Amino acid sequence: MRITPAHLEAKQWGWRHATRKDFALRGLDFDIQPGEHVLLLGASGAGKSTLMAGLAGVLGGSDEGEQEGSLTIDGIEAGIARGKAGLVLQDPDSQIILERVGDDAAFGCENLNIPRDEIWRRVRESLNLVGLKDIDLDRSTRHLSGGQRQRLALAGVLAMQPGLLLLDEPTANLDPDGVVEVHDAVRDVLARTGQTLVVVEHHIDVWMDLIDRVIVIGHPDPDSPVGGIIADGSPDEVFGRYGDLLAGGGAWVPGRAIPDRKPKDNVSSGDRPALITEDLSFGRGTALGEHIDLAFQSGEVTALMGPNGAGKSTLALTLAGLLEPLSGHVRVRADIADGARGDEPNRWKSRELLGRIGMVFQEPEHQFAAPLVRDEVAIGPKSMGADDAKAYAIADEMLERMNLSRFAKANPYTLSGGEKRRLSVASMLASAPKILVMDEPTFGQDFTTWTEMVDLIAGVRDRGSAVIVVTHDEALVEALHARRIMFGFAGE
């Protein structure tokens, strides 16, 4: 595959989203030479994804926001440098568009008006590059594993033959095997194409062997036009010279110890579990798990772990009363069910779930229901009978703890991925549920916000709630001393 690596340059570049008063980032100056491999770091909300979107040319025009300075690829404004950059996002489901593998890999090329025969040559070459050579082009994209789906998204980008490869937390939602698959695919691609690479990832150890430069951006100062980049150099230079500064700003600095949040003694409710399953079979039409008997105790964190596609999220929704069991039962303890219709959450009305069972979805947008961030967090307390003063006092406290206070009047959908995740957790914790089910609560978090999330979960646990977490985050499991339940695929 013949690719000309791209040259990137920013001169006092900044961007303000149309719905925001302050700039997402500003004052950026950098010169990335063709073929360089750059790790882009910064605290959650510092503007990393905004910069990636700017380089990919998908920020939109003046009606979508305000630009300062210039951002160019090979001397062309990034917003009009069509086909020069390819962006791979953290969630492959947000990029996979079509039903068949071949059609999806060809989608980008079709939009560039590349001749049909050349498209399919590129598709086969790209699938080979990412290790999907033996995948049938007619295979349904729905039947791929998480790692395969992310590699398909990468293949679709490579087929366009961009000089710049942009990876925005591409392993955030993957199991350990999927992380290795994507890392190795990118390594092989870079060795064969020589592309310029910019990658955003909070868990930076995944990419350190491929990186020759680190750029760190900070939160812009609303009262000053300067700021932007706070460190730029080789990994050894940046982490050696600025390690303490980066750690203080939230970066996952290599070798940094994780917190230890051991459970308090005598928190659980004796031998009476908060929630149990009885001969449970769960799934969406087809069973993903059968004859399951589990117990979840108050004052305990249980981690549901295992490969992508094994059914962890589906089980979580079933435990939270949001999916009907295929057979068997999910039951909660009598004191938790008191006042609801029976002890099976799937038979309850949504109002009966409030204060009893809370669910933090894998996709935060799935639970947003208010136009403003502060109102979103106040929904739960209001629905449980709190007056406005009390509800908003709870909301303000949660926003402060989640480092979201400055977004109180923002639309939830305008937040960054990590900020949306913290908002979804804040809105659920505001209802103080006795059972809390969380699907990947720590993705997209820097070290500071990750630690705050750990502290919040530990606090919920130590106040006597049963916490059930779907996660690939080993550090989270270790910090909370969580009980592990490991998943495999049905029939294995």
Side-chain angles (χ1 to χ4, degrees), residues 239-260:
F239 295 125
R241 184 176 179 182
Y242 299 102
D244 291 341
L245 174 65
L246 296 177
W252 285 85
V253 176
R256 192 176 188 191
I258 64 170
D260 187 332

Side-chain angles (χ1 to χ4, degrees), residues 258-263 450 454 458 461 473-482:
I258 64 170
D260 187 332
R261 301 295 183 262
K262 188 176 181 180
W450 181 90
V454 170
R461 173 200 65 195
D473 189 346
E474 282 286 348
L476 174 70
V477 176
E478 292 176 11
L480 293 170
H481 295 259

Side-chain angles (χ1 to χ4, degrees), residues 27 35 37 40 78-79 86 94 156 182 220 290 293 345 375 377 428 476 483 489:
H37 301 161
L40 182 65
S94 65
V182 173
E290 297 180 295
D293 294 290
D375 291 339
V377 184
M428 195 51 59
L476 174 70
R483 174 176 65 123
F489 289 105

Side-chain angles (χ1 to χ4, degrees), residues 167-297:
L167 306 178
D168 193 354
E169 296 197 67
T171 66
N173 291 327
L174 299 181
D175 59 53
D177 289 341
V179 171
V180 172
E181 287 179 9
V182 173
H183 167 276
D184 291 352
V186 172
R187 178 197 61 202
D188 296 344
V189 164
L190 294 176
R192 293 183 59 178
T193 66
Q195 285 169 300
T196 305
L197 171 72
V198 179
V199 58
V200 171
E201 190 82 67
H202 284 294
H203 296 278
I204 60 181
D205 55 308
V206 174
W207 301 105
M208 287 301 293
D209 62 318
L210 305 181
I211 296 301
D212 46 45
R213 181 176 174 185
V214 178
I215 294 177
V216 186
I217 60 177
H219 286 291
D221 181 351
D223 300 320
S224 171
V226 298
I229 293 173
I230 60 176
D232 184 354
S234 71
D236 288 343
E237 291 171 342
V238 170
F239 295 125
R241 184 176 179 182
Y242 299 102
D244 291 341
L245 174 65
L246 296 177
W252 285 85
V253 176
R256 192 176 188 191
I258 64 170
D260 187 332
R261 301 295 183 262
K262 188 176 181 180
K264 293 181 179 179
D265 295 329
N266 303 319
V267 173
S268 69
S269 299
D271 296 326
R272 297 181 297 131
L275 182 148
I276 63 171
T277 68
E278 298 175 342
D279 197 28
L280 175 69
S281 295
F282 70 92
R284 299 176 185 263
T286 301
L288 294 173
E290 297 180 295
H291 309 300
I292 295 172
D293 294 290
L294 294 171
F296 301 92
Q297 294 286 350

Side-chain angles (χ1 to χ4, degrees), residues 13 48-60 71 78 87 166 168:
W13 187 77
K48 301 182 297 297
S49 292
T50 299
L51 175 56
M52 297 290 268
L55 288 168
V58 295
L59 277 178
L71 185 66
L87 174 63
L166 302 168
D168 193 354

Side-chain angles (χ1 to χ4, degrees), residues 48-122:
K48 301 182 297 297
S49 292
T50 299
L51 175 56
M52 297 290 268
L55 288 168
V58 295
L59 277 178
S62 58
D63 58 331
E64 306 244 353
E66 175 188 354
Q67 176 175 287
E68 289 182 340
S70 66
L71 185 66
T72 61
I73 302 176
D74 293 335
I76 303 171
E77 282 292 331
I80 59 174
R82 193 163 180 254
K84 286 186 173 290
L87 174 63
V88 179
L89 302 171
Q90 64 181 225
D91 181 7
D93 291 341
S94 65
Q95 285 189 254
I96 293 177
I97 300 168
L98 301 176
E99 171 66 23
R100 298 188 302 174
V101 166
D103 293 340
D104 195 80
F107 184 77
C109 290
E110 290 174 341
N111 282 276
L112 294 175
N113 295 319
I114 294 169
R116 178 180 175 82
D117 290 346
E118 173 65 9
I119 288 176
W120 290 107
R121 186 193 69 77
R122 290 189 185 190

Side-chain angles (χ1 to χ4, degrees), residues 365-485:
E365 297 89 345
H366 290 178
Q367 65 190 81
F368 294 157
L372 300 178
V373 165
R374 190 170 184 244
D375 291 339
E376 179 67 33
V377 184
I379 286 176
K382 285 183 178 181
S383 299
M384 295 177 67
D387 60 26
D388 280 2
K390 177 64 174 176
Y392 283 113
I394 293 171
D396 291 341
E397 179 185 355
M398 293 306 308
L399 291 177
E400 180 67 27
R401 293 203 65 182
M402 286 295 187
N403 193 25
L404 293 172
S405 295
R406 66 188 185 278
F407 301 122
K409 296 183 179 180
N411 186 301
Y413 291 94
T414 67
L415 304 184
S416 72
E419 290 161 352
K420 288 177 182 176
R421 166 52 72 215
R422 299 203 301 280
L423 175 58
S424 68
V425 173
S427 63
M428 195 51 59
L429 291 182
S431 301
K434 301 296 188 297
I435 299 167
L436 180 61
V437 184
M438 313 177 81
D439 199 342
E440 298 289 359
T442 56
F443 85 75
Q445 303 305 310
D446 62 40
F447 189 82
T448 300
T449 56
W450 181 90
T451 301
E452 184 61 43
M453 190 77 74
V454 170
D455 288 341
L456 280 168
I457 296 171
V460 171
R461 173 200 65 195
D462 293 342
R463 288 193 294 272
S465 295
V467 183
I468 302 166
V469 180
V470 176
T471 187
H472 300 301
D473 189 346
E474 282 286 348
L476 174 70
V477 176
E478 292 176 11
L480 293 170
H481 295 259
R483 174 176 65 123
R484 288 174 169 84
I485 294 178

